[in-house]
Amino acid sequence: MSRWGIVILSIYLIAAIGTPIMSHLGLLPDPNYGLANPIYSPPSLNHWCGTDRLGRDVCVRTLAGSGVALQVVFFAVILAVLFGVPLGMLSGYLGGAADRVLVLIMDTLYAVPVLLLSVVMAFLLGRGIPNAAAALCVVYVPQYFRVVRNQTVQVKSELFVEAARAIGANPLWILRKYLLRNVIASVPVLLTLNAADAVLVLGGLGFLGLGLPESVPEWGGDLNLALSALPTGIWWTALYPGIAMFVLVLGLSFLGDGLESWISDTSKKAQ
């Protein structure tokens, strides 16, 4: 499974890096500018996936959407890790009133459906790649917080942690030396699964018109524009962005399953 995930993700990375370079060199059409004619052209040798309502090449725009999706999802998930993991460790280790307040806040955010919370954050922050990444970041911070905090609470009761606290070791040193490496194992799996989910959430925001500007090649926004053309038999403007989104989610899910199996096998061998 993980091999398929790596292969799929590699293909998307190549598309994300290569498409803007080839467009800049004139080897591919610009994904943001259409042709005067033909508009809504079906797939052909000149335009493998057809053209949209502005005459833009659907194939090139779908390939360029890989870079936008990976960029937003990468920053969103990494920011969520950078905020959620330290907060979870500190909350679980320190306990007390601060822990109760943080747990209350994170549980409240976690209780809100992912898409609804992302819609609210996108509405508050506005459109654009940084704002979309920030909106998705807020959605996933509670997940890392909950997982890391629960594991920290378990690990801090171990004898080696109690011994370090008894000799007066610095709490930050204990967190870094003993707790971090014990609670971090589950983060890579959660990261890949959240990345897969984030692709769908970003697509949902774009489909609702709350994602990125129309000039940015983004799959959800393109699906939104394609919706009005479907009843007239223009299927290609919706098919290819939908397939691209589905395959990327599938690849990230494969990668997450592979990482989970590898971590589980490594833990069993260590025992």
Short mmCIF file of all heavy atoms in Angstrom, two decimals, residues 20-58:
data_model
loop_
_atom_site.label_atom_id
_atom_site.label_comp_id
_atom_site.label_asym_id
_atom_site.label_seq_id
_atom_site.Cartn_x
_atom_site.Cartn_y
_atom_site.Cartn_z
N PRO A 20 4.09 24.46 -13.95
CA PRO A 20 4.39 25.90 -14.11
C PRO A 20 5.66 26.17 -14.91
O PRO A 20 5.74 27.17 -15.64
CB PRO A 20 4.51 26.40 -12.67
CG PRO A 20 4.72 25.19 -11.84
CD PRO A 20 4.03 24.08 -12.54
N ILE A 21 6.65 25.29 -14.77
CA ILE A 21 7.89 25.47 -15.54
C ILE A 21 7.62 25.32 -17.03
O ILE A 21 8.05 26.15 -17.85
CB ILE A 21 8.96 24.47 -15.07
CG1 ILE A 21 9.37 24.75 -13.63
CG2 ILE A 21 10.19 24.53 -15.98
CD1 ILE A 21 10.32 23.73 -13.05
N MET A 22 6.88 24.28 -17.41
CA MET A 22 6.59 24.04 -18.82
C MET A 22 5.66 25.12 -19.39
O MET A 22 5.78 25.50 -20.56
CB MET A 22 5.97 22.65 -18.99
CG MET A 22 6.93 21.51 -18.62
SD MET A 22 6.21 19.88 -18.83
CE MET A 22 6.15 19.76 -20.62
N SER A 23 4.74 25.62 -18.55
CA SER A 23 3.89 26.72 -19.00
C SER A 23 4.70 27.99 -19.24
O SER A 23 4.49 28.72 -20.21
CB SER A 23 2.78 26.98 -17.98
OG SER A 23 1.91 25.87 -17.88
N HIS A 24 5.66 28.24 -18.34
CA HIS A 24 6.51 29.42 -18.48
C HIS A 24 7.38 29.34 -19.73
O HIS A 24 7.63 30.36 -20.40
CB HIS A 24 7.39 29.57 -17.24
CG HIS A 24 8.29 30.77 -17.27
ND1 HIS A 24 7.82 32.06 -17.12
CD2 HIS A 24 9.64 30.88 -17.46
CE1 HIS A 24 8.83 32.91 -17.21
NE2 HIS A 24 9.94 32.22 -17.42
N LEU A 25 7.81 28.13 -20.07
CA LEU A 25 8.64 27.93 -21.27
C LEU A 25 7.82 27.88 -22.56
O LEU A 25 8.40 27.81 -23.65
CB LEU A 25 9.46 26.64 -21.13
CG LEU A 25 10.50 26.62 -20.00
CD1 LEU A 25 11.15 25.24 -19.89
CD2 LEU A 25 11.57 27.69 -20.24
N GLY A 26 6.52 27.89 -22.43
CA GLY A 26 5.66 27.85 -23.60
C GLY A 26 5.38 26.46 -24.11
O GLY A 26 4.77 26.30 -25.18
N LEU A 27 5.78 25.43 -23.36
CA LEU A 27 5.54 24.05 -23.78
C LEU A 27 4.12 23.61 -23.46
O LEU A 27 3.62 22.63 -24.04
CB LEU A 27 6.55 23.12 -23.11
CG LEU A 27 8.03 23.42 -23.42
CD1 LEU A 27 8.93 22.50 -22.60
CD2 LEU A 27 8.30 23.25 -24.91
N LEU A 28 3.47 24.29 -22.51
CA LEU A 28 2.08 24.03 -22.15
C LEU A 28 1.34 25.36 -22.11
O LEU A 28 1.93 26.40 -21.83
CB LEU A 28 1.99 23.34 -20.79
CG LEU A 28 2.45 21.89 -20.67
CD1 LEU A 28 2.38 21.43 -19.23
CD2 LEU A 28 1.61 20.98 -21.56
N PRO A 29 0.03 25.35 -22.36
CA PRO A 29 -0.75 26.59 -22.25
C PRO A 29 -0.76 27.10 -20.80
O PRO A 29 -0.58 26.33 -19.86
CB PRO A 29 -2.15 26.17 -22.69
CG PRO A 29 -1.98 24.89 -23.42
CD PRO A 29 -0.78 24.22 -22.82
N ASP A 30 -0.96 28.39 -20.64
CA ASP A 30 -1.09 28.97 -19.31
C ASP A 30 -2.42 28.53 -18.71
O ASP A 30 -3.47 28.69 -19.34
CB ASP A 30 -1.04 30.50 -19.39
CG ASP A 30 -0.88 31.14 -18.02
OD1 ASP A 30 -1.69 30.82 -17.12
OD2 ASP A 30 0.05 31.93 -17.85
N PRO A 31 -2.42 27.95 -17.50
CA PRO A 31 -3.67 27.44 -16.92
C PRO A 31 -4.67 28.54 -16.56
O PRO A 31 -5.85 28.26 -16.35
CB PRO A 31 -3.20 26.69 -15.67
CG PRO A 31 -1.90 27.31 -15.32
CD PRO A 31 -1.26 27.69 -16.63
N ASN A 32 -4.21 29.79 -16.46
CA ASN A 32 -5.09 30.87 -16.01
C ASN A 32 -5.66 31.70 -17.15
O ASN A 32 -6.51 32.55 -16.92
CB ASN A 32 -4.33 31.80 -15.07
CG ASN A 32 -3.90 31.10 -13.80
OD1 ASN A 32 -4.63 30.27 -13.28
ND2 ASN A 32 -2.72 31.41 -13.31
N TYR A 33 -5.20 31.46 -18.37
CA TYR A 33 -5.67 32.26 -19.51
C TYR A 33 -6.20 31.33 -20.59
O TYR A 33 -5.54 30.38 -20.99
CB TYR A 33 -4.56 33.15 -20.06
CG TYR A 33 -4.12 34.20 -19.09
CD1 TYR A 33 -3.01 34.00 -18.27
CD2 TYR A 33 -4.83 35.39 -18.96
CE1 TYR A 33 -2.61 34.96 -17.35
CE2 TYR A 33 -4.44 36.36 -18.04
CZ TYR A 33 -3.32 36.14 -17.25
OH TYR A 33 -2.95 37.09 -16.33
N GLY A 34 -7.41 31.64 -21.05
CA GLY A 34 -8.05 30.79 -22.04
C GLY A 34 -7.81 31.28 -23.45
O GLY A 34 -7.13 32.27 -23.71
N LEU A 35 -8.39 30.54 -24.39
CA LEU A 35 -8.29 30.86 -25.81
C LEU A 35 -9.54 31.62 -26.25
O LEU A 35 -10.61 31.47 -25.66
CB LEU A 35 -8.16 29.57 -26.62
CG LEU A 35 -7.06 28.59 -26.16
CD1 LEU A 35 -7.25 27.26 -26.89
CD2 LEU A 35 -5.69 29.15 -26.43
N ALA A 36 -9.41 32.44 -27.24
CA ALA A 36 -10.59 33.10 -27.78
C ALA A 36 -11.56 32.06 -28.35
O ALA A 36 -12.77 32.22 -28.31
CB ALA A 36 -10.18 34.10 -28.85
N ASN A 37 -10.98 30.97 -28.82
CA ASN A 37 -11.78 29.89 -29.40
C ASN A 37 -10.88 28.65 -29.44
O ASN A 37 -9.70 28.77 -29.73
CB ASN A 37 -12.23 30.29 -30.81
CG ASN A 37 -13.24 29.31 -31.38
OD1 ASN A 37 -14.12 28.87 -30.67
ND2 ASN A 37 -13.10 28.99 -32.66
N PRO A 38 -11.33 27.44 -29.10
CA PRO A 38 -12.71 27.08 -28.81
C PRO A 38 -13.04 27.16 -27.32
O PRO A 38 -12.16 26.93 -26.48
CB PRO A 38 -12.78 25.64 -29.31
CG PRO A 38 -11.39 25.11 -29.06
CD PRO A 38 -10.45 26.27 -29.23
N ILE A 39 -14.26 27.48 -27.00
CA ILE A 39 -14.78 27.47 -25.63
C ILE A 39 -15.64 26.23 -25.46
O ILE A 39 -16.45 25.89 -26.33
CB ILE A 39 -15.58 28.75 -25.35
CG1 ILE A 39 -14.65 29.97 -25.41
CG2 ILE A 39 -16.26 28.68 -24.00
CD1 ILE A 39 -15.37 31.29 -25.30
N TYR A 40 -15.48 25.55 -24.34
CA TYR A 40 -16.17 24.28 -24.08
C TYR A 40 -15.91 23.28 -25.19
O TYR A 40 -16.82 22.61 -25.69
CB TYR A 40 -17.68 24.50 -23.91
CG TYR A 40 -18.07 25.00 -22.53
CD1 TYR A 40 -19.05 25.96 -22.38
CD2 TYR A 40 -17.47 24.48 -21.39
CE1 TYR A 40 -19.43 26.41 -21.13
CE2 TYR A 40 -17.84 24.92 -20.13
CZ TYR A 40 -18.81 25.89 -20.00
OH TYR A 40 -19.18 26.34 -18.77
N SER A 41 -14.65 23.18 -25.59
CA SER A 41 -14.28 22.21 -26.61
C SER A 41 -14.12 20.83 -25.97
O SER A 41 -13.47 20.72 -24.92
CB SER A 41 -12.97 22.63 -27.28
OG SER A 41 -12.49 21.61 -28.13
N PRO A 42 -14.68 19.77 -26.54
CA PRO A 42 -14.53 18.43 -25.95
C PRO A 42 -13.09 17.94 -26.09
O PRO A 42 -12.29 18.51 -26.83
CB PRO A 42 -15.49 17.58 -26.77
CG PRO A 42 -15.61 18.29 -28.07
CD PRO A 42 -15.49 19.76 -27.76
N PRO A 43 -12.74 16.87 -25.37
CA PRO A 43 -11.38 16.33 -25.46
C PRO A 43 -11.00 16.01 -26.91
O PRO A 43 -11.79 15.46 -27.68
CB PRO A 43 -11.46 15.05 -24.61
CG PRO A 43 -12.54 15.34 -23.62
CD PRO A 43 -13.54 16.17 -24.35
N SER A 44 -9.77 16.39 -27.26
CA SER A 44 -9.28 16.18 -28.62
C SER A 44 -7.76 16.04 -28.56
O SER A 44 -7.15 16.10 -27.48
CB SER A 44 -9.68 17.35 -29.51
OG SER A 44 -9.06 18.55 -29.06
N LEU A 45 -7.13 15.88 -29.72
CA LEU A 45 -5.67 15.79 -29.75
C LEU A 45 -5.02 17.10 -29.34
O LEU A 45 -3.92 17.10 -28.78
CB LEU A 45 -5.23 15.40 -31.18
CG LEU A 45 -5.58 13.98 -31.62
CD1 LEU A 45 -5.14 13.75 -33.07
CD2 LEU A 45 -4.93 12.94 -30.70
N ASN A 46 -5.67 18.21 -29.64
CA ASN A 46 -5.11 19.51 -29.26
C ASN A 46 -5.30 19.81 -27.78
O ASN A 46 -4.44 20.42 -27.15
CB ASN A 46 -5.76 20.63 -30.09
CG ASN A 46 -5.39 20.55 -31.55
OD1 ASN A 46 -4.28 20.12 -31.90
ND2 ASN A 46 -6.31 20.92 -32.43
N HIS A 47 -6.42 19.37 -27.23
CA HIS A 47 -6.73 19.58 -25.81
C HIS A 47 -7.23 18.24 -25.26
O HIS A 47 -8.41 17.91 -25.42
CB HIS A 47 -7.77 20.69 -25.63
CG HIS A 47 -7.40 21.99 -26.26
ND1 HIS A 47 -6.46 22.83 -25.71
CD2 HIS A 47 -7.82 22.58 -27.42
CE1 HIS A 47 -6.33 23.90 -26.48
NE2 HIS A 47 -7.12 23.77 -27.52
N TRP A 48 -6.32 17.50 -24.65
CA TRP A 48 -6.62 16.13 -24.26
C TRP A 48 -7.83 16.01 -23.34
O TRP A 48 -8.55 15.02 -23.39
CB TRP A 48 -5.40 15.51 -23.57
CG TRP A 48 -4.24 15.32 -24.49
CD1 TRP A 48 -4.22 15.52 -25.84
CD2 TRP A 48 -2.94 14.86 -24.14
NE1 TRP A 48 -3.00 15.23 -26.38
CE2 TRP A 48 -2.16 14.82 -25.35
CE3 TRP A 48 -2.33 14.48 -22.96
CZ2 TRP A 48 -0.85 14.41 -25.37
CZ3 TRP A 48 -1.01 14.08 -22.97
CH2 TRP A 48 -0.27 14.05 -24.17
N CYS A 49 -8.03 17.00 -22.48
CA CYS A 49 -9.16 16.96 -21.55
C CYS A 49 -10.20 18.03 -21.88
O CYS A 49 -11.08 18.32 -21.08
CB CYS A 49 -8.69 17.15 -20.11
SG CYS A 49 -7.52 15.89 -19.56
N GLY A 50 -10.10 18.63 -23.05
CA GLY A 50 -11.05 19.65 -23.46
C GLY A 50 -10.71 21.02 -22.88
O GLY A 50 -9.66 21.22 -22.27
N THR A 51 -11.61 21.99 -23.11
CA THR A 51 -11.45 23.34 -22.57
C THR A 51 -12.69 23.72 -21.77
O THR A 51 -13.77 23.14 -21.96
CB THR A 51 -11.22 24.37 -23.69
OG1 THR A 51 -12.36 24.36 -24.57
CG2 THR A 51 -9.97 24.04 -24.49
N ASP A 52 -12.54 24.71 -20.89
CA ASP A 52 -13.66 25.12 -20.05
C ASP A 52 -14.38 26.32 -20.66
O ASP A 52 -14.18 26.67 -21.82
CB ASP A 52 -13.19 25.41 -18.63
CG ASP A 52 -12.22 26.58 -18.55
OD1 ASP A 52 -12.02 27.26 -19.58
OD2 ASP A 52 -11.66 26.82 -17.48
N ARG A 53 -15.20 26.99 -19.87
CA ARG A 53 -16.06 28.06 -20.40
C ARG A 53 -15.26 29.29 -20.83
O ARG A 53 -15.78 30.13 -21.56
CB ARG A 53 -17.07 28.48 -19.33
CG ARG A 53 -16.47 29.12 -18.09
CD ARG A 53 -17.53 29.64 -17.17
NE ARG A 53 -16.94 30.42 -16.08
CZ ARG A 53 -17.65 31.16 -15.24
NH1 ARG A 53 -18.95 31.23 -15.38
NH2 ARG A 53 -17.04 31.82 -14.28
N LEU A 54 -14.01 29.40 -20.35
CA LEU A 54 -13.16 30.51 -20.76
C LEU A 54 -12.11 30.08 -21.79
O LEU A 54 -11.21 30.85 -22.11
CB LEU A 54 -12.46 31.12 -19.54
CG LEU A 54 -13.38 31.71 -18.47
CD1 LEU A 54 -12.56 32.24 -17.30
CD2 LEU A 54 -14.25 32.82 -19.06
N GLY A 55 -12.24 28.86 -22.26
CA GLY A 55 -11.28 28.36 -23.23
C GLY A 55 -9.98 27.90 -22.63
O GLY A 55 -8.99 27.67 -23.35
N ARG A 56 -9.94 27.72 -21.32
CA ARG A 56 -8.71 27.26 -20.67
C ARG A 56 -8.59 25.74 -20.81
O ARG A 56 -9.58 25.03 -20.72
CB ARG A 56 -8.72 27.66 -19.19
CG ARG A 56 -8.74 29.16 -18.98
CD ARG A 56 -8.88 29.54 -17.52
NE ARG A 56 -10.12 29.06 -16.94
CZ ARG A 56 -10.60 29.48 -15.77
NH1 ARG A 56 -9.94 30.38 -15.06
NH2 ARG A 56 -11.74 29.01 -15.30
N ASP A 57 -7.37 25.28 -21.00
CA ASP A 57 -7.10 23.86 -21.16
C ASP A 57 -7.34 23.13 -19.84
O ASP A 57 -6.66 23.39 -18.84
CB ASP A 57 -5.66 23.64 -21.63
CG ASP A 57 -5.41 22.21 -22.05
OD1 ASP A 57 -5.34 21.33 -21.17
OD2 ASP A 57 -5.27 21.97 -23.26
N VAL A 58 -8.30 22.21 -19.82
CA VAL A 58 -8.68 21.52 -18.58
C VAL A 58 -7.56 20.64 -18.08
O VAL A 58 -7.32 20.53 -16.87
CB VAL A 58 -9.97 20.70 -18.80
CG1 VAL A 58 -10.29 19.85 -17.58
CG2 VAL A 58 -11.14 21.62 -19.12
#
